[in-house]
Amino acid sequence: MSALLSANSLTLRTPDHHVLLEDFTLSFGCEVTGVVGPNGAGKSTLLKALAGALTPVGGQVVRHGRIGWMEQSGPDATGDVASGLGVSEALARLSRILAGEGGEADFDHADWTLEARVEASLEQMGLSGLALTAPLSSLSGGQRARLALARAMLDAPDILMMDEPTNNLDAEGRDAVHQMMADWPGGLVIVSHDRALLERVDRIIALEGPGWSVFGGGWTEYVTQRDAARARAEAEHDRLEADARQIKRAAKEAQARLERRAQSGKRQRADGSNAKVLLDAMKARSESTAARLAGVRDKRVSDAEAKLEAASDQRHRGPRLNIRAQGADSPSGRTVLAFDAVSFSYGETALIDRLSFAITGGMRLALSGPNGAGKTTVLKLAQGLLTPRSGEIRRTTGRIARLDQTVSDLDPDLTVVEALRVRDPNLTINAAYAALAQFDLRNAQAEKRVGVLSGGERLRAGLAGVLGGEPPELILLDEPTNHLDIEAVEALEEALVAFDGALLAVSHDQAFLDAISLDQTLSLDRARF
């Protein structure tokens, strides 16, 4: 397979000169490559360097084909759908020709297949019937993400860079991305934490800055190889650590023996039992031997420490998450949330119509449905942030904690510790620090302002607020995995499996929903586009 793109000894750094990636060398052809790694490891930076959007500190990228780029958020919400697809000028050219106003340049550059291809790409992305004159500001985030996919299909680059393409998509949108991956004739390089998507790639690049590794196969194969490699690295580290302790202990014992001999020589010199010439010769020989042996010991200790340090560099250095999730005491038959024929409207638009369900202690319920079906609205109604038009909502008197994907209830002007304590006044400062530490937000990170946190850090802070302090009786989860890296998601899943309270979850991440052992899924099948 000929390479469409080659990276040769790339070095990438942040603006403050932190090294993200060193000596990255790899070729890309017509295969699907997934890129994974913790937040801040440089995944998006690598994509931009490969696409030519930024210049690496060292090394070079050689491109043999056209490179495309797709942002995870889709086009900016300015202009109309045609501009979002990048076809405004080409469509205007066709319009001039059909109106009898086209010039020679219009005929030379006319693309008579464009309208049919636009229609087909919109249909494939689930946007059939979307008017090309519709303003982008009228589209949901999921629709704009689908529009970005449709544009990529129209542009048809030889190799396409995709940054979290499924982040804002519902199940149908994700299926469309999966089908696009299967049908794509060129190469794809995809940054993603969507495990269902990663199952469909041909290989995975794992970034653990500044190092990197390549694993063949999809997500399941990667996890098997990753865990085996980590186990080997951990075992080698433990072996070398034991060797280093033994070598240091032996060196210390040898030094003690030499010191005892030196003390014996001093005593012989003091009592005059041997001639001074003999004692001087013995002292010189002893000191020479001691110096030689000390040099050998020091080298052995130094070599052992160097090997141990190298082995430490090979160990996993991901987020140190230690999540504990305790629920409030709630009997399994006790109702913690109930909707009785609840209806809700935004203005004249009816969104929720006579919805009824009940959640009892320890129950796990997920809401499913396409974007715009009202899932987030149900969560806001459950928390009391919205008032129903009709019907009744009954809630537990215990704590209900909610986490949305943007963590909107953390004040961006406060430090993380302060924001958590404002959110939960009963949380002591020590408890706030302890809760943040469970999510690898320690010391200086806990003192950062919320407004400067990355998306992943912000969500981890929100999770600390939900799972720290007074145990909740019910947790409302609104796309909690959207900005977490995969290992943080896995740690969250483990915590929620151990959580003995009730859950009401909204998520398009099916792997996440499968992992938290749902009791029931409630479908809201209203689609609003």
Side-chain angles (χ1 to χ4, degrees):
M1 182 186 300
S2 60
L4 297 170
L5 181 153
S6 297
N8 301 314
S9 301
L10 288 191
T11 295
L12 302 176
R13 293 179 185 164
T14 61
D16 61 356
H17 306 297
H18 171 68
V19 177
L20 292 171
L21 194 61
E22 272 186 330
D23 196 29
F24 180 81
T25 300
L26 194 65
S27 293
F28 299 83
C30 292
E31 72 274 287
V32 182
T33 301
V35 183
V36 302
N39 291 328
K43 302 184 294 296
S44 295
T45 303
L46 173 60
L47 246 63
K48 290 176 181 177
L50 294 176
L54 64 82
T55 303
V57 174
Q60 63 176 343
V61 178
V62 179
R63 303 174 186 89
H64 300 290
R66 289 195 311 113
I67 310 299
W69 174 267
M70 198 195 88
E71 292 279 3
Q72 60 174 293
S73 57
D76 294 333
T78 57
D80 57 16
V81 169
S83 65
L85 288 169
V87 297
S88 295
E89 184 178 341
L91 290 174
R93 181 181 299 120
L94 293 176
S95 295
R96 287 193 297 270
I97 292 173
L98 293 174
E101 299 170 357
E104 184 178 345
D106 289 328
F107 281 95
D108 288 343
H109 296 93
D111 181 356
W112 297 103
T113 68
L114 180 61
E115 291 180 328
R117 291 191 294 111
V118 167
E119 184 178 348
S121 65
L122 290 176
E123 181 179 1
Q124 186 169 346
M125 289 301 112
L127 297 173
S128 295
L130 185 63
L132 296 178
T133 56
L136 290 172
S137 59
S138 68
L139 305 186
S140 68
Q143 285 176 296
R144 289 203 301 274
R146 293 191 193 198
L147 196 66
L149 289 166
R151 177 170 184 163
M153 293 175 61
L154 285 171
D155 291 343
D158 297 298
I159 188 165
L160 176 64
M161 308 289 167
M162 306 172 75
D163 193 357
E164 299 286 4
T166 60
N167 239 16
N168 296 304
L169 297 181
D170 55 22
E172 289 184 5
R174 291 180 180 224
D175 288 343
V177 174
H178 299 162
Q179 189 60 52
M180 175 192 176
M181 291 169 59
D183 295 341
W184 189 260
L188 294 171
V189 184
I190 308 174
V191 167
S192 182
H193 65 260
D194 181 342
R195 288 163 290 183
L197 181 152
L198 291 169
E199 285 287 9
R200 292 165 166 79
V201 304
D202 300 309
R203 62 179 179 175
I204 289 178
I205 302 170
L207 304 186
E208 291 190 8
W212 57 280
S213 302
V214 179
F215 299 84
W219 176 253
T220 300
E221 292 87 346
Y222 161 70
V223 169
T224 300
Q225 297 173 68
R226 178 199 68 182
D227 291 350
R230 287 180 182 175
R232 289 193 299 270
E234 198 67 32
E236 179 66 4
H237 176 272
D238 291 346
R239 184 185 69 79
L240 290 172
E241 189 174 44
D243 287 350
R245 284 198 302 267
Q246 183 178 356
I247 289 169
K248 289 178 181 179
R249 185 165 54 248
K252 187 175 181 180
E253 291 172 353
Q255 180 63 29
R257 286 195 298 270
L258 287 174
E259 289 175 356
R260 287 195 296 272
R261 290 176 186 171
Q263 290 296 326
S264 176
K266 288 181 181 179
R267 287 193 296 271
Q268 290 180 27
R269 183 180 294 276
D271 64 18
S273 59
N274 289 295
K276 184 176 182 302
V277 173
L278 177 61
L279 291 173
D280 287 345
M282 292 173 62
K283 179 183 178 184
R285 188 165 56 250
S286 176
E287 289 176 347
S288 174
T289 300
R292 178 174 56 80
L293 292 177
V296 172
R297 289 196 305 273
D298 289 347
K299 186 175 187 312
R300 290 188 68 197
V301 170
S302 176
D303 289 347
E305 289 178 339
K307 290 179 181 178
L308 182 59
E309 183 177 357
S312 295
D313 289 341
Q314 299 302 312
R315 299 171 80 191
H316 175 53
R317 296 190 298 274
R320 300 180 301 280
L321 303 178
N322 180 26
I323 306 172
R324 295 181 298 276
Q326 180 183 357
D329 184 19
S330 179
S332 59
R334 174 179 165 184
T335 299
V336 296
L337 178 70
F339 277 44
D340 295 325
V342 170
S343 297
F344 180 84
S345 301
Y346 285 107
E348 298 299 320
T349 304
L351 186 61
I352 306 297
D353 184 30
R354 298 186 59 79
L355 178 64
S356 297
F357 67 88
I359 298 176
T360 56
M363 183 178 172
R364 293 159 183 258
L365 174 68
L367 299 176
S368 69
N371 290 335
K375 300 184 296 297
T376 295
T377 298
V378 171
L379 294 185
K380 290 180 178 179
L381 287 165
Q383 196 178 9
L385 299 178
L386 296 175
T387 302
R389 185 188 67 200
S390 61
E392 181 186 4
I393 300 176
R394 291 178 285 113
R395 304 177 187 87
T396 175
T397 57
R399 181 181 173 219
I400 297 178
R402 178 173 178 266
L403 181 75
D404 63 55
Q405 58 186 299
T406 60
V407 198
S408 56
D409 60 348
L410 291 184
D411 189 333
D413 294 325
L414 299 179
T415 68
V416 181
V417 168
E418 291 169 343
L420 254 63
R421 298 191 70 202
V422 167
R423 186 183 193 180
D424 182 0
N426 295 320
L427 198 64
T428 68
I429 190 166
N430 287 337
Y433 276 110
L436 290 167
Q438 292 182 55
F439 287 85
D440 203 29
L441 294 170
R442 296 174 171 83
N443 305 323
Q445 287 179 303
E447 299 294 343
K448 284 183 178 180
R449 282 192 310 107
V450 171
V452 303
L453 297 178
S454 68
E457 288 174 329
R458 191 181 180 105
L459 194 62
R460 280 191 273 149
L463 287 166
V466 168
L467 298 176
E470 178 191 350
E473 196 165 356
L474 170 65
I475 297 178
L476 308 176
L477 297 168
D478 189 359
E479 298 290 359
T481 65
N482 256 13
H483 299 288
L484 288 180
D485 59 56
I486 294 176
E487 295 194 24
V489 172
E490 291 174 332
L492 173 62
E493 289 169 350
E494 290 182 11
L496 292 179
V497 167
F499 177 67
D500 53 8
L503 295 176
L504 177 58
V506 169
S507 178
H508 294 308
D509 184 344
Q510 190 58 49
F512 169 75
L513 293 176
D514 291 342
I516 62 174
S517 302
L518 295 173
D519 295 306
Q520 186 178 343
T521 297
L522 177 64
S523 177
L524 305 178
D525 57 6
R526 175 185 171 85
R528 183 167 56 87
F529 289 115

